[in-house]
Each structure stands twice: as C-alpha cells, then as structure tokens.
Amino acid sequence: MTNLPLSADLIGELNAREAEALDEDYAALGRKLARSGIDIDAVKGRVAAFSVAVPSWGAGRGGTRFAKFPIAGEPTNIHEKLEDCAVINQLSRVTPRVSPHFPWDQVSDYAALREEAASLGLGFDAVNSNTFQDQPGQAQTYATGSLSSTVEATRQQAVEHNIECIEIGRQLGSRDLTVWVGDGTNFPGQQDFARSLDRYLDAAAQVYAALPDDWRMLLEHKMFEPAFYSTVISDWGSSVLAAQELGPKAKCLVDLGHHAPNVNIEQIVARLHRFGKLGGFHFNDSKYGDDDLDSGSINPHQLFLVFNELVEAELNPRGGFDPAYMIDQSHNVTDPIESMLSSAEAIAQCYAKALLVDRDALHAAQEGNDTMMAFQALRRAYTVDVSPILAKARMEAGGAIDVLGAYRASQWRTRKAQERKAVGPGAGIV
Ligand code: RM4
Ligand code: MN
Ligand code: MN
C-alpha cells in the first residue's frame, strides 16, 4: 500500500484556493495555443507522461571542498532520503524514481528497500557506482585511479564494485549502470594518455560483460575534477569512442556541467543521438564548471535548446530513443527539497516549450535557409509561459499547484528537524 508522506487533504485545500485562477490561466493559454493549431490538452498529456529521476545524493545538503553547512532535519541515510524524494514526487508528480549511489546508499536488504520505496510511491532509476573515493577498510586505494589504474588489483576492485552495483540494481528494479570515474592526471606526463584509456577500456569491458541483456552501461564524461590536467573520459568524443568499443549496451551520459564553458551541448545531444549513443542526462546548471547549480537557474535557454534536440530525436528515433533523465545537483545553500522541486519544474517547463515548437515551420525554414524564421520558430515556443500546463497536469495527478508554497505549508523540514539526528559540519558531497 502506498503511504505518501504529506497530507493529501492539505494539498487539496491549498489547491482549492488556486484552482479558479489556474483554470482562467489555462483557458487563456489554451485559446492562444489554439490559434497556432496546438491542442493544449494534448501538450498537457505529454507533460503528464514526462518524468525525471532525482539523485539520492541530492537530498542532503551538498558542500564544497571548503565546507558544508548542514540544515536541521536533512536526511542522513537512504531511508530518510527516500522519504524526502517522496515529498518531491508527491508535490511535483514528475519525479517518480530515485537514482541511488553506492556505497553511499548501501543497506543489508535491497528487496526491502525496493518495497520501502514502492510504499512511498517511488521506484529506482540508474544505479551509480563510486570508485572516486576510498571507503573504510578498502583493500586498494583509488588515489591514482580506478578502472584505469596501473595497479591490476585496483582495477579488479573497481570492476567488482561495478558488478556489485549491477547486482544491487537488479534487486532494486534498475536497468542502467552509470559509470563516472574520477580517473585522470594533475600533471603533464603523469600518465600516458593512450595506455590509461587502454586500461580503462579493458576494465570497463569486464563490467560490460556482466550487464544483464536488458541493461545499459551509461558512460559519463567529465572534463576536469578531481583531476585537473586530464581525465580519462574527458569529453563526449572519448565517451562515444569508448561506448562504441564496448558494444551496443554502452551509451553516453551527458551531464550538463561537465563541459568547457560555452560548449554547444545541444549539438552534442544531436550527435550522440545520430549514432544511437545517447543514453542519459544529468540535469543541473553551471556558470563556471561542474557547479551542480539548480537546473534552469543560470541558463534556461540552453536547457530549452537541449530539450528541443531531445524532442527532435524523439520524433526521429533512428535506432531508438530512451534516454534516462536524472537530476544531478548539489544544494549547498538551499533546502534540497525546494531546489529539486524548482529544478524539476524548470526541466518539465523546457520539455513543454520544446513540444510547442512548430516543427513543420522550423523544418521548412531550415530547408529554405530562412534563418530568421527558423530562429523564430524556436523563439515563439521559448517565450510561452507554460506554467499553467504544468500546474494543471500536476494537480490532476494529485500534486500541488504551487509546489513550493505547499511544501512550506506542510512544515516538513521543521517536523523532520525534531525527529532526525543532526548532521555534523564537514566538506564534500555527502
Ligand atoms: C560527479 C558526476 C557524477 C556524480 C558525482 C557525485 O561530478 O557528476 O555523476 O555521481 O559527481
Ligand atoms: Mn553527473
Ligand atoms: Mn558532476
């Protein structure tokens, strides 16, 4: 039986106060869209079917390498994190899955954890392995690399950890393994570029061999950090070459913060899709690098352009289109629940706007080299305020019209501050 964390009555009461205004806004937007031949209810239906996973590690306060400032009532284990993720989904109705990270989310009984999540209305998304930190009692250190380490026993340990993650994921009902390695160098000459990649590919192939038939291995590239001179899977080029070498179940995962500033990420999306290698997304925003800021907070237009390519890809599936959408953020100064509510909204908004693009007009302008009208086809969709569509879809699914208002009214964090044990100060992500 599902036992959602917040009172449905409270959400209902708050919605009742907003429903009339929402109906007016929705009707007005419906009339406007109808003039362009768009059926607002059809768009609402697509938005209602859209979802994005939330990261278990994003439920707690993140930190920088300098400091972490915990908030009272933040979750400290996977059970509490699931509860908070259930709050996000109950209000937003767009985040029904959680992406777990191991060993951070380790428990002794994964079947029970799956049931616990289901009872909160949640399922599990891609499992993430962690070979970028050492764990207490670990035999080999990852200080100088994991899957690409020069030390065979270290590579083996990293392979075994990834295989264990697949096993855990099977029990949780996942079907993707996301592999991001921190492997790389801080000094020119520290490692041989080619031999490091050879070792990575050899180890990754052992992980790949352990994938169940219906699983995918998502390779996540990242230009820098923790290695600041070079990383082994530094960019989408290295990622797609590795995925091609590993086989059809290996795909590329694009994290929006993992590129050099100003890189045309929407074009990367189109390229990866062209070769059947677009496996997934980590949504966040950034100003300088892998800032892990809230989705849409810095560059919402880029997020829209990414979704424009994703909708285009969905319409032209070529070899298939099934990317795993996940949020990957670090909430250093906000309540993580609020950040994820706001991010999920920003992501769904960009998806909805991309659905509004007049594809025929866009394609005709492209074919006719009418640059301005091609651009205007995108601009017209981008400037539409789609929030009534999202709010209506949410409300009809039992969510809140005003997600942040309802969250604050629920006093969830204050209540949890009385129940949960306090987190000590520290540094790092979790
Ligand atoms: C990395 C990368 C991975 C995430 C870790 C915590 O920068 O984005 O996806 O698992 O951070
Ligand atoms: Mn990521
Ligand atoms: Mn990252």
Side-chain angles (χ1 to χ4, degrees):
M1 211 193 79
T2 332
N3 191 5
L4 300 183
L6 300 182
S7 149
D9 290 344
L10 174 69
I11 297 173
E13 279 163 32
L14 294 169
N15 282 352
R17 293 185 210 160
E18 317 256 356
E20 204 179 309
L22 175 60
D23 282 344
E24 277 173 29
D25 293 348
Y26 186 81
L29 180 57
R31 284 193 295 275
K32 177 182 157 67
L33 294 176
R35 286 196 290 277
S36 314
I38 298 171
D39 173 7
I40 193 171
D41 288 333
V43 179
K44 175 165 61 78
R46 301 279 301 276
V47 168
F50 176 83
S51 65
V52 57
V54 291
S56 65
W57 62 101
R61 259 294 183 92
T64 66
R65 62 204 166 92
F66 297 104
K68 174 161 159 173
F69 300 100
I71 48 167
E74 77 170 91
T76 55
N77 56 52
I78 183 63
H79 310 289
E80 293 174 351
K81 287 176 185 177
L82 285 176
E83 267 195 318
D84 285 12
C85 293
V87 169
I88 300 166
N89 188 45
Q90 187 179 4
L91 293 169
S92 72
R93 299 291 164 165
V94 73
T95 59
R97 293 176 311 282
V98 178
S99 186
H101 220 305
F102 295 102
W104 292 339
D105 297 327
Q106 202 167 43
V107 294
S108 55
D109 185 345
Y110 290 102
L113 191 69
R114 187 178 181 175
E115 272 174 35
E116 185 181 326
S119 76
L120 291 163
L122 299 169
F124 285 99
D125 208 275
V127 281
N128 299 261
S129 59
N130 178 344
T131 61
F132 47 86
Q133 290 174 325
D134 286 347
Q135 306 301 330
Q138 185 178 301
Q140 305 294 325
T141 178
Y142 293 131
T144 53
S146 60
L147 290 175
S148 79
S149 169
T150 55
V151 183
E152 210 216 318
T154 307
R155 294 199 300 278
Q156 210 43 50
Q157 177 181 282
V159 167
E160 278 159 23
H161 168 64
N162 275 282
I163 294 175
E164 191 194 343
C165 285
I166 297 173
E167 186 40 47
I168 294 171
R170 281 165 81 125
Q171 296 179 54
L172 294 178
S174 306
R175 57 175 192 95
D176 291 322
L177 170 71
T178 299
V179 181
W180 172 69
V181 292
D183 298 31
T185 63
N186 279 33
F187 288 87
Q190 184 181 336
Q191 280 298 334
D192 180 273
F193 291 135
R195 283 198 291 273
S196 303
L197 185 59
D198 284 343
R199 289 191 295 267
Y200 168 88
L201 287 170
D202 186 65
Q206 295 175 50
V207 178
Y208 184 92
L211 287 175
D213 288 346
D214 57 345
W215 271 59
R216 300 180 303 180
M217 185 168 166
L218 307 179
L219 310 183
E220 181 175 358
H221 58 273
K222 177 166 167 171
M223 183 187 55
F224 77 107
E225 199 205 16
F228 286 107
Y229 170 62
S230 75
T231 60
V232 174
I233 302 296
S234 51
D235 53 15
W236 75 275
S238 308
S239 180
V240 79
L241 289 170
Q244 270 165 348
E245 183 136 329
L246 288 172
K249 290 188 275 182
K251 309 267 180 192
C252 304
L253 182 140
V254 178
D255 182 311
L256 289 177
H258 288 192
H259 308 87
N262 301 330
V263 161
N264 188 337
I265 299 175
E266 55 272 26
Q267 188 176 24
I268 294 174
V269 172
R271 286 282 185 275
L272 289 174
H273 176 63
R274 165 65 182 77
F275 293 95
K277 285 298 188 189
L278 183 66
F281 253 92
H282 276 179
F283 290 110
N284 52 58
D285 214 335
S286 77
K287 180 79 178 157
Y288 302 105
D290 191 26
D291 311 342
D292 281 340
L293 300 176
D294 289 18
S295 299
S297 63
I298 304 290
N299 195 347
H301 191 236
Q302 180 190 54
L303 187 58
F304 163 72
L305 293 175
V306 164
F307 269 105
N308 179 53
E309 293 307 324
L310 291 169
V311 168
E312 197 70 44
E314 197 174 358
L315 293 170
N316 299 289
R318 295 179 182 262
F321 177 78
D322 185 21
Y325 293 143
M326 282 165 269
I327 292 175
D328 180 6
Q329 297 176 171
S330 182
H331 311 110
N332 305 335
V333 295
T334 51
D335 178 328
I337 290 183
E338 295 195 356
S339 267
M340 286 201 269
L341 286 170
S342 154
S343 300
E345 170 103 359
I347 293 165
Q349 265 177 6
C350 286
Y351 174 62
K353 288 180 188 215
L355 290 175
L356 298 184
V357 171
D358 182 341
R359 301 268 148 210
D360 292 340
L362 175 66
H363 297 157
Q366 288 171 341
E367 287 304 310
N369 291 305
D370 189 339
T371 310
M372 183 49 74
M373 286 307 131
F375 171 59
Q376 290 303 319
L378 297 187
R379 183 67 4 158
R380 273 198 306 279
Y382 180 66
T383 51
V384 175
D385 176 6
V386 294
S387 42
I389 305 179
L390 270 64
K392 192 94 169 167
R394 250 190 335 258
M395 188 201 71
E396 288 174 359
I401 293 176
D402 172 5
V403 288
L404 290 175
Y407 173 65
R408 292 207 170 183
S410 77
Q411 301 207 313
W412 175 260
R413 194 63 79 196
T414 325
R415 287 190 278 132
K416 293 296 138 181
Q418 281 148 19
E419 292 165 21
R420 291 175 178 171
K421 79 170 176 5
V423 188
I429 301 166
V430 285

